[in-house]
Amino acid sequence: MAQAGENGIDPAATVVAPTAEAAELQARINALREELMALNERMKAISAALQRPPLSATGES
């Protein structure tokens, strides 16, 4: 088991906690990137749909 140094701080805990937090933050960043890519694709599809000419009442374009 890790022992506290002279100043009462556990060096292993000092490194492990920020490392775990960094890993969690990186995972969240990756998830947000994926969500942004999906949102971008949806926006492109909506934009393309809005640029198409409207269908006539008979269904002809």
Side-chain angles (χ1 to χ4, degrees), residues 21-37:
E21 184 177 357
E24 290 176 18
L25 290 171
Q26 188 63 51
R28 182 67 178 138
I29 288 169
N30 291 338
L32 289 171
R33 269 196 190 120
E34 289 178 14
E35 290 178 32
L36 284 172
M37 287 189 299

Side-chain angles (χ1 to χ4, degrees), residues 42-52:
R42 287 176 48 205
M43 289 172 29
K44 285 180 185 177
I46 291 169
S47 178
L50 290 173
Q51 292 177 12
R52 285 191 294 252

